[in-house]
Coordinates of all heavy atoms in Angstrom, one line a residue:
K1 N 0.9 -1.2 0.0 CA 0.0 0.0 0.0 C 0.9 1.2 0.0 O 1.8 1.3 0.8 CB -0.9 0.0 1.3 CG -2.0 1.0 1.2 CD -2.8 0.9 2.5 CE -4.0 1.8 2.5 NZ -3.8 3.2 2.4
N2 N 0.6 2.2 -0.9 CA 1.4 3.4 -0.9 C 1.0 4.4 0.0 O -0.2 4.6 0.3 CB 1.5 3.9 -2.4 CG 0.1 4.0 -3.0 OD1 -0.8 3.5 -2.5 ND2 0.0 4.8 -4.1
M3 N 2.0 5.1 0.6 CA 1.7 6.1 1.6 C 1.5 7.5 0.9 O 2.3 7.9 0.1 CB 3.0 6.2 2.5 CG 2.9 7.2 3.6 SD 1.9 6.5 4.9 CE 3.2 6.1 6.0
V4 N 0.4 8.2 1.4 CA 0.2 9.5 0.8 C 0.6 10.5 1.9 O 0.4 10.4 3.0 CB -1.3 9.7 0.5 CG1 -1.6 11.1 0.1 CG2 -1.7 8.7 -0.6
K5 N 1.4 11.5 1.4 CA 1.9 12.5 2.3 C 1.5 13.9 1.9 O 1.3 14.2 0.7 CB 3.4 12.5 2.3 CG 4.0 11.3 3.1 CD 5.5 11.5 3.3 CE 5.9 10.7 4.5 NZ 7.3 10.9 4.9
I6 N 1.3 14.8 2.8 CA 1.1 16.2 2.6 C 2.5 16.9 2.8 O 3.0 16.8 4.0 CB 0.0 16.8 3.5 CG1 -1.3 16.1 3.2 CG2 -0.1 18.3 3.2 CD1 -2.4 16.6 4.1
R7 N 3.1 17.4 1.8 CA 4.4 18.0 2.0 C 4.7 19.2 1.0 O 3.8 19.5 0.3 CB 5.5 16.9 1.7 CG 5.4 16.4 0.2 CD 6.3 15.2 0.0 NE 6.4 14.9 -1.4 CZ 6.9 13.8 -1.9 NH1 7.3 12.8 -1.0 NH2 6.9 13.6 -3.2
L8 N 5.9 19.7 1.1 CA 6.2 20.9 0.3 C 6.9 20.5 -1.0 O 7.6 19.5 -1.0 CB 7.1 21.8 1.1 CG 6.6 22.4 2.4 CD1 7.7 23.2 3.1 CD2 5.4 23.3 2.1
T9 N 6.6 21.2 -2.0 CA 7.3 21.1 -3.3 C 7.8 22.5 -3.6 O 7.1 23.4 -3.5 CB 6.4 20.5 -4.4 OG1 7.2 20.4 -5.6 CG2 5.2 21.2 -4.6
R10 N 9.1 22.6 -4.0 CA 9.7 23.9 -4.2 C 9.5 24.4 -5.6 O 9.5 23.7 -6.5 CB 11.2 23.8 -3.9 CG 11.9 25.1 -3.8 CD 13.4 25.0 -3.8 NE 14.0 26.2 -4.4 CZ 14.8 27.0 -3.8 NH1 15.2 26.8 -2.6 NH2 15.3 28.1 -4.4
Y11 N 9.3 25.7 -5.6 CA 9.3 26.4 -6.9 C 9.8 27.8 -6.6 O 10.1 28.2 -5.5 CB 8.0 26.4 -7.7 CG 6.9 27.2 -7.2 CD1 6.4 28.3 -7.9 CD2 6.3 26.9 -5.9 CE1 5.3 29.0 -7.4 CE2 5.2 27.6 -5.5 CZ 4.7 28.7 -6.2 OH 3.7 29.4 -5.7
G12 N 9.9 28.7 -7.6 CA 10.5 30.0 -7.4 C 11.9 30.1 -7.9 O 12.5 29.1 -8.3
K13 N 12.4 31.3 -7.9 CA 13.8 31.5 -8.4 C 14.8 31.0 -7.4 O 14.6 30.8 -6.3 CB 14.0 33.0 -8.6 CG 13.2 33.6 -9.7 CD 13.6 35.1 -9.8 CE 12.7 35.8 -10.8 NZ 12.8 37.3 -10.6
K14 N 16.1 31.0 -8.0 CA 17.2 30.6 -7.1 C 17.3 31.6 -6.0 O 17.2 32.8 -6.2 CB 18.5 30.6 -8.0 CG 19.7 30.2 -7.3 CD 20.8 29.9 -8.3 CE 21.6 31.1 -8.6 NZ 22.8 30.8 -9.4
K15 N 17.6 31.2 -4.8 CA 17.7 32.0 -3.6 C 16.4 32.7 -3.2 O 16.4 33.4 -2.2 CB 18.8 33.1 -3.7 CG 20.1 32.5 -4.1 CD 20.9 32.0 -2.9 CE 22.3 31.7 -3.4 NZ 22.9 30.7 -2.4
K16 N 15.3 32.4 -3.9 CA 14.0 33.0 -3.5 C 13.0 31.9 -3.5 O 12.1 31.8 -4.4 CB 13.6 34.1 -4.5 CG 14.5 35.3 -4.5 CD 13.8 36.5 -4.9 CE 14.6 37.7 -4.6 NZ 15.5 38.4 -5.0
P17 N 13.0 31.0 -2.5 CA 12.2 29.9 -2.6 C 10.7 30.2 -2.2 O 10.5 31.1 -1.4 CB 12.8 29.0 -1.5 CG 13.4 29.9 -0.5 CD 13.9 31.1 -1.4
S18 N 9.8 29.5 -2.9 CA 8.4 29.5 -2.4 C 8.0 28.1 -2.6 O 8.6 27.3 -3.4 CB 7.5 30.5 -3.0 OG 7.7 30.5 -4.4
Y19 N 7.0 27.6 -1.9 CA 6.6 26.2 -1.9 C 5.1 26.1 -2.1 O 4.3 26.9 -1.7 CB 7.0 25.6 -0.5 CG 8.4 25.7 -0.2 CD1 9.0 26.7 0.5 CD2 9.3 24.7 -0.6 CE1 10.3 26.8 0.8 CE2 10.7 24.7 -0.3 CZ 11.2 25.8 0.4 OH 12.5 25.9 0.7
R20 N 4.8 25.0 -2.8 CA 3.4 24.6 -2.9 C 3.2 23.5 -1.9 O 4.1 22.6 -1.7 CB 3.1 24.1 -4.3 CG 3.1 25.1 -5.3 CD 2.5 24.7 -6.7 NE 2.5 25.9 -7.5 CZ 3.2 25.9 -8.7 NH1 3.8 24.9 -9.1 NH2 3.1 27.0 -9.4
I21 N 2.1 23.5 -1.2 CA 1.8 22.4 -0.3 C 0.9 21.4 -1.1 O -0.1 21.8 -1.6 CB 1.0 23.0 0.9 CG1 1.9 23.9 1.7 CG2 0.6 21.8 1.9 CD1 1.2 24.8 2.7
V22 N 1.4 20.2 -1.2 CA 0.8 19.2 -2.1 C 0.5 17.9 -1.4 O 1.2 17.6 -0.4 CB 1.7 19.0 -3.4 CG1 1.8 20.2 -4.2 CG2 3.0 18.4 -3.0
V23 N -0.4 17.2 -1.9 CA -0.7 15.8 -1.5 C 0.0 15.0 -2.6 O -0.2 15.1 -3.8 CB -2.2 15.5 -1.5 CG1 -2.4 14.1 -1.1 CG2 -2.9 16.4 -0.6
A24 N 1.0 14.1 -2.2 CA 1.7 13.3 -3.1 C 2.0 11.9 -2.6 O 2.0 11.7 -1.3 CB 3.0 14.0 -3.5
D25 N 2.2 11.0 -3.5 CA 2.7 9.7 -3.1 C 4.1 9.8 -2.4 O 4.9 10.6 -3.0 CB 2.7 8.8 -4.3 CG 3.1 7.3 -4.0 OD1 3.9 7.1 -3.1 OD2 2.4 6.4 -4.6
S26 N 4.3 9.1 -1.3 CA 5.6 9.3 -0.7 C 6.8 8.9 -1.5 O 7.9 9.3 -1.3 CB 5.6 8.5 0.6 OG 5.5 7.1 0.4
R27 N 6.5 8.1 -2.6 CA 7.6 7.6 -3.4 C 8.0 8.5 -4.5 O 9.1 8.4 -5.1 CB 7.3 6.2 -4.0 CG 7.1 5.1 -3.0 CD 6.5 3.9 -3.6 NE 5.2 4.2 -4.1 CZ 4.4 3.3 -4.6 NH1 4.7 2.0 -4.6 NH2 3.2 3.6 -5.1
T28 N 7.2 9.6 -4.8 CA 7.5 10.5 -5.9 C 8.6 11.4 -5.4 O 8.7 11.7 -4.2 CB 6.3 11.3 -6.4 OG1 5.8 12.0 -5.3 CG2 5.3 10.5 -7.0
R29 N 9.4 12.0 -6.4 CA 10.5 12.9 -6.0 C 9.9 14.2 -5.5 O 8.7 14.5 -5.7 CB 11.4 13.1 -7.1 CG 10.8 13.6 -8.4 CD 11.8 13.5 -9.6 NE 11.4 14.3 -10.7 CZ 10.5 13.9 -11.6 NH1 9.9 12.7 -11.4 NH2 10.1 14.6 -12.6
R30 N 10.7 15.0 -4.9 CA 10.2 16.2 -4.3 C 9.4 17.1 -5.2 O 8.3 17.6 -4.8 CB 11.4 17.1 -3.8 CG 11.0 18.3 -3.0 CD 12.1 19.3 -2.7 NE 12.6 19.9 -4.0 CZ 13.5 20.8 -4.0 NH1 14.2 21.1 -2.9 NH2 13.9 21.4 -5.2
D31 N 9.8 17.4 -6.4 CA 9.1 18.2 -7.3 C 8.3 17.4 -8.4 O 8.0 17.9 -9.4 CB 10.0 19.2 -8.0 CG 10.6 20.2 -6.9 OD1 10.1 20.3 -5.8 OD2 11.7 20.8 -7.2
G32 N 8.1 16.1 -8.1 CA 7.3 15.3 -9.0 C 5.8 15.7 -9.0 O 5.4 16.5 -8.3
K33 N 5.1 14.9 -9.9 CA 3.7 15.2 -10.1 C 2.9 14.9 -8.8 O 2.9 13.8 -8.3 CB 3.2 14.3 -11.2 CG 1.8 14.7 -11.7 CD 1.5 13.9 -13.0 CE 0.3 14.5 -13.7 NZ -0.9 14.6 -12.9
P34 N 2.2 15.9 -8.3 CA 1.4 15.7 -7.1 C 0.0 15.1 -7.4 O -0.4 15.2 -8.5 CB 1.3 17.1 -6.5 CG 1.3 18.0 -7.6 CD 2.2 17.3 -8.6
I35 N -0.6 14.5 -6.4 CA -2.0 14.1 -6.5 C -2.9 15.3 -6.6 O -3.9 15.4 -7.3 CB -2.4 13.1 -5.4 CG1 -1.5 11.9 -5.4 CG2 -3.8 12.7 -5.5 CD1 -1.6 11.1 -4.1
E36 N -2.6 16.3 -5.7 CA -3.5 17.4 -5.5 C -2.7 18.6 -4.9 O -1.8 18.3 -4.0 CB -4.7 17.1 -4.6 CG -5.7 18.2 -4.4 CD -6.7 17.8 -3.4 OE1 -6.6 16.8 -2.6 OE2 -7.8 18.5 -3.3
E37 N -3.0 19.8 -5.3 CA -2.4 21.0 -4.6 C -3.3 21.5 -3.6 O -4.5 21.7 -3.9 CB -2.1 22.1 -5.6 CG -0.8 22.0 -6.3 CD -0.4 23.2 -7.1 OE1 -0.8 24.3 -6.7 OE2 0.2 23.0 -8.1
V38 N -2.8 21.7 -2.3 CA -3.7 22.2 -1.3 C -3.3 23.5 -0.6 O -3.9 23.9 0.4 CB -3.9 21.1 -0.2 CG1 -4.7 19.9 -0.7 CG2 -2.6 20.6 0.4
G39 N -2.3 24.2 -1.2 CA -2.0 25.5 -0.7 C -0.6 25.9 -1.1 O 0.1 25.2 -1.9
F40 N -0.2 27.0 -0.7 CA 1.2 27.5 -0.9 C 1.8 28.2 0.3 O 1.0 28.6 1.2 CB 1.4 28.3 -2.2 CG 0.9 29.7 -2.1 CD1 1.6 30.7 -1.5 CD2 -0.4 30.1 -2.5 CE1 1.2 32.0 -1.4 CE2 -0.9 31.4 -2.4 CZ -0.1 32.3 -1.9
Y41 N 3.1 28.2 0.4 CA 3.8 28.8 1.5 C 5.0 29.6 0.9 O 5.8 29.1 0.2 CB 4.3 27.7 2.4 CG 5.3 28.2 3.5 CD1 5.0 29.2 4.3 CD2 6.5 27.5 3.6 CE1 5.9 29.6 5.3 CE2 7.4 27.9 4.6 CZ 7.1 28.9 5.4 OH 8.0 29.3 6.4
D42 N 5.1 30.9 1.3 CA 6.2 31.7 0.8 C 6.9 32.2 2.1 O 6.5 33.1 2.7 CB 5.6 32.9 0.0 CG 6.7 33.8 -0.5 OD1 7.9 33.6 -0.1 OD2 6.4 34.7 -1.4
P43 N 8.1 31.6 2.4 CA 8.8 32.0 3.6 C 9.4 33.4 3.5 O 9.7 34.0 4.5 CB 9.9 30.9 3.7 CG 10.0 30.4 2.3 CD 8.7 30.5 1.6
M44 N 9.6 33.9 2.3 CA 10.3 35.2 2.1 C 9.3 36.3 2.6 O 9.7 37.2 3.3 CB 10.7 35.4 0.7 CG 11.6 34.3 0.1 SD 13.2 34.2 0.9 CE 14.1 35.4 -0.1
Q45 N 8.1 36.3 2.1 CA 7.0 37.2 2.5 C 6.2 36.7 3.7 O 5.3 37.4 4.1 CB 6.1 37.6 1.3 CG 6.6 38.8 0.6 CD 7.1 38.4 -0.8 OE1 6.4 37.7 -1.5 NE2 8.2 38.9 -1.2
N46 N 6.5 35.5 4.1 CA 5.7 34.9 5.2 C 4.2 34.8 4.8 O 3.4 35.1 5.7 CB 6.0 35.6 6.5 CG 5.7 34.7 7.7 OD1 5.6 33.5 7.5 ND2 5.6 35.2 8.9
Q47 N 3.9 34.4 3.6 CA 2.5 34.2 3.2 C 2.1 32.8 3.2 O 2.9 31.9 2.8 CB 2.3 34.8 1.8 CG 2.3 36.3 1.7 CD 2.0 36.7 0.3 OE1 2.5 36.1 -0.7 NE2 1.3 37.8 0.1
V48 N 0.9 32.5 3.7 CA 0.4 31.1 3.6 C -1.0 31.1 3.1 O -1.8 32.0 3.5 CB 0.4 30.5 5.0 CG1 -0.1 29.1 5.0 CG2 1.8 30.4 5.6
H49 N -1.3 30.3 2.2 CA -2.7 30.1 1.7 C -3.0 28.7 1.7 O -2.3 27.9 1.1 CB -2.8 30.7 0.2 CG -4.1 30.5 -0.3 ND1 -5.2 31.3 0.0 CD2 -4.6 29.5 -1.2 CE1 -6.3 30.9 -0.7 NE2 -5.9 29.8 -1.4
L50 N -4.1 28.3 2.4 CA -4.4 26.9 2.6 C -5.8 26.6 2.2 O -6.7 27.4 2.4 CB -4.2 26.5 4.0 CG -2.8 26.6 4.6 CD1 -2.9 26.5 6.1 CD2 -1.9 25.6 4.0
R51 N -6.1 25.5 1.5 CA -7.4 25.0 1.3 C -7.8 24.0 2.4 O -7.5 22.8 2.3 CB -7.5 24.3 -0.1 CG -7.4 25.3 -1.3 CD -7.3 24.7 -2.6 NE -8.2 23.5 -2.8 CZ -7.9 22.4 -3.4 NH1 -6.8 22.3 -4.0 NH2 -8.8 21.4 -3.5
A52 N -8.3 24.6 3.5 CA -8.5 23.8 4.7 C -9.4 22.6 4.5 O -9.1 21.5 5.0 CB -9.2 24.7 5.8
E53 N -10.5 22.7 3.7 CA -11.4 21.6 3.5 C -10.7 20.4 2.9 O -10.8 19.3 3.3 CB -12.6 22.0 2.7 CG -13.6 22.9 3.4 CD -14.0 22.4 4.7 OE1 -14.5 21.3 4.8 OE2 -13.9 23.1 5.7
A54 N -9.9 20.7 1.8 CA -9.1 19.7 1.1 C -8.1 19.0 2.0 O -7.9 17.8 2.0 CB -8.5 20.3 -0.1
I55 N -7.5 19.8 2.8 CA -6.5 19.3 3.8 C -7.1 18.4 4.8 O -6.6 17.2 5.0 CB -5.7 20.4 4.5 CG1 -4.8 21.2 3.4 CG2 -4.8 19.9 5.6 CD1 -4.2 22.5 3.9
K56 N -8.2 18.8 5.4 CA -8.9 18.0 6.4 C -9.4 16.7 5.7 O -9.3 15.6 6.4 CB -10.1 18.8 7.0 CG -9.6 19.8 7.9 CD -10.8 20.6 8.5 CE -10.3 21.7 9.4 NZ -11.2 22.8 9.5
K57 N -9.9 16.8 4.5 CA -10.4 15.6 3.8 C -9.2 14.6 3.7 O -9.4 13.4 3.9 CB -10.9 16.0 2.4 CG -11.4 14.8 1.6 CD -12.0 15.3 0.2 CE -11.9 14.2 -0.8 NZ -11.0 14.4 -1.9
R58 N -8.1 15.0 3.2 CA -6.9 14.1 3.0 C -6.4 13.6 4.4 O -6.0 12.4 4.4 CB -5.8 14.9 2.3 CG -6.1 15.2 0.9 CD -6.2 14.0 0.0 NE -6.5 14.3 -1.4 CZ -6.5 13.4 -2.3 NH1 -6.3 12.1 -2.0 NH2 -6.7 13.8 -3.5
L59 N -6.4 14.4 5.4 CA -6.0 13.9 6.7 C -7.0 12.8 7.2 O -6.5 11.8 7.8 CB -6.0 15.0 7.8 CG -4.9 16.0 7.6 CD1 -5.1 17.2 8.5 CD2 -3.5 15.4 7.8
N60 N -8.3 12.9 6.9 CA -9.2 11.9 7.3 C -9.0 10.6 6.5 O -9.3 9.5 7.0 CB -10.7 12.4 7.1 CG -11.1 13.4 8.1 OD1 -10.5 13.5 9.2 ND2 -12.1 14.2 7.8
E61 N -8.5 10.8 5.3 CA -8.2 9.6 4.5 C -6.9 8.9 4.9 O -6.5 7.9 4.3 CB -8.1 10.0 3.0 CG -9.5 10.3 2.4 CD -9.4 11.0 1.0 OE1 -8.3 11.1 0.5 OE2 -10.5 11.4 0.5
G62 N -6.2 9.5 5.9 CA -5.0 8.9 6.4 C -3.7 9.4 5.8 O -2.6 8.7 6.0
A63 N -3.7 10.6 5.3 CA -2.4 11.2 4.7 C -1.5 11.6 5.9 O -2.0 12.1 6.9 CB -2.7 12.4 3.9
Q64 N -0.2 11.3 5.7 CA 0.8 11.7 6.7 C 1.2 13.1 6.4 O 1.2 13.5 5.2 CB 2.0 10.8 6.7 CG 1.6 9.3 7.0 CD 1.1 9.2 8.5 OE1 1.8 9.6 9.4 NE2 -0.1 8.7 8.6
V65 N 1.7 13.9 7.4 CA 2.1 15.2 7.2 C 3.6 15.4 7.5 O 4.1 14.8 8.5 CB 1.3 16.2 8.2 CG1 1.6 17.6 7.9 CG2 -0.2 15.9 8.0
S66 N 4.3 16.1 6.6 CA 5.7 16.3 6.9 C 5.9 17.3 8.1 O 5.0 18.0 8.4 CB 6.4 16.9 5.6 OG 6.1 18.2 5.4
D67 N 7.1 17.3 8.7 CA 7.3 18.2 9.8 C 7.0 19.7 9.6 O 6.4 20.3 10.4 CB 8.7 18.0 10.3 CG 9.0 16.6 10.8 OD1 8.0 15.9 11.1 OD2 10.2 16.2 11.0
T68 N 7.5 20.2 8.5 CA 7.4 21.6 8.1 C 5.9 21.9 7.9 O 5.4 22.9 8.4 CB 8.2 21.9 6.9 OG1 9.5 21.4 7.0 CG2 8.3 23.4 6.7
V69 N 5.2 21.0 7.2 CA 3.8 21.3 6.9 C 3.0 21.2 8.2 O 2.1 22.0 8.4 CB 3.3 20.3 5.8 CG1 1.8 20.5 5.7 CG2 3.9 20.6 4.5
R70 N 3.4 20.3 9.1 CA 2.7 20.2 10.4 C 2.8 21.5 11.1 O 1.8 22.0 11.6 CB 3.3 19.1 11.2 CG 2.6 19.0 12.6 CD 3.1 17.8 13.4 NE 2.4 16.6 13.0 CZ 3.0 15.6 12.4 NH1 4.3 15.6 12.2 NH2 2.3 14.5 12.0
T71 N 4.0 22.2 11.1 CA 4.1 23.5 11.8 C 3.2 24.5 11.1 O 2.6 25.3 11.9 CB 5.6 23.9 11.6 OG1 6.5 22.8 12.1 CG2 5.9 25.1 12.5
I72 N 3.2 24.5 9.8 CA 2.3 25.5 9.1 C 0.9 25.3 9.5 O 0.1 26.2 9.7 CB 2.5 25.4 7.6 CG1 4.0 25.8 7.2 CG2 1.5 26.2 6.8 CD1 4.4 25.4 5.8
L73 N 0.4 24.0 9.5 CA -1.0 23.7 9.8 C -1.3 24.1 11.3 O -2.4 24.5 11.5 CB -1.3 22.3 9.5 CG -1.2 21.8 8.0 CD1 -1.6 20.3 7.9 CD2 -2.1 22.6 7.1
V74 N -0.4 23.8 12.2 CA -0.6 24.2 13.6 C -0.8 25.7 13.7 O -1.7 26.1 14.4 CB 0.5 23.6 14.5 CG1 0.4 24.2 15.9 CG2 0.4 22.1 14.6
K75 N 0.1 26.4 13.0 CA 0.0 27.9 13.1 C -1.4 28.4 12.5 O -1.9 29.4 13.0 CB 1.1 28.6 12.4 CG 2.4 28.6 13.2 CD 3.5 29.3 12.4 CE 4.8 29.2 13.2 NZ 6.0 29.5 12.3
A76 N -1.9 27.7 11.5 CA -3.1 28.1 10.9 C -4.4 27.4 11.6 O -5.5 27.6 11.1 CB -3.1 27.7 9.4
N77 N -4.1 26.8 12.7 CA -5.2 26.1 13.5 C -6.0 25.1 12.8 O -7.2 24.9 13.0 CB -6.2 27.2 14.1 CG -5.5 28.0 15.2 OD1 -4.7 27.5 15.9 ND2 -5.8 29.3 15.2
I78 N -5.3 24.4 11.9 CA -6.0 23.3 11.2 C -5.7 22.0 11.9 O -6.6 21.1 12.0 CB -5.6 23.2 9.7 CG1 -6.1 24.4 8.9 CG2 -6.1 21.9 9.0 CD1 -5.7 24.5 7.5
L79 N -4.5 21.8 12.5 CA -4.2 20.7 13.3 C -4.4 21.0 14.8 O -4.1 22.1 15.2 CB -2.8 20.2 13.0 CG -2.6 19.3 11.8 CD1 -1.1 18.9 11.7 CD2 -3.4 18.1 11.8

């Protein structure tokens, strides 16, 4: 059985990272094709945009959360 994870995938320019928060199979590479996009995180401007319903749905289906995404979700009061 494959593990589904909610994690960050990087995009943006060199030295200016921003991340999409995605639902992906744990075996795909970091920037590989996700199952679903559920938000984004920009550490430079400290912006976060989350689709709370989609995230809650995936968590109920048993998706695991990466450490960084867990921190973001706790700050946003989703976890």
Side-chain angles (χ1 to χ4, degrees):
K1 190 176 188 299
N2 47 346
M3 182 80 102
V4 172
K5 284 194 155 179
I6 301 177
R7 64 186 189 197
L8 297 176
T9 177
R10 189 189 152 122
Y11 72 114
K13 291 184 187 161
K14 184 164 90 174
K15 305 280 189 200
K16 296 211 166 80
S18 51
Y19 300 91
R20 292 190 175 122
I21 299 167
V22 298
V23 178
D25 187 318
S26 63
R27 295 169 300 186
T28 58
R29 60 192 193 277
R30 182 191 72 181
D31 297 339
K33 190 173 193 304
I35 299 168
E36 181 185 17
E37 271 189 35
V38 291
F40 75 82
Y41 168 54
D42 183 347
M44 307 294 274
Q45 266 111 49
N46 204 12
Q47 285 184 323
V48 178
H49 177 79
L50 300 167
R51 289 175 40 219
E53 291 306 310
I55 292 169
K56 285 176 184 157
K57 179 180 156 244
R58 291 295 181 175
L59 289 170
N60 288 338
E61 290 169 3
Q64 297 298 302
V65 186
S66 75
D67 295 342
T68 314
V69 173
R70 176 174 282 114
T71 307
I72 292 167
L73 295 181
V74 167
K75 281 182 185 165
N77 290 325
I78 291 178
L79 278 181

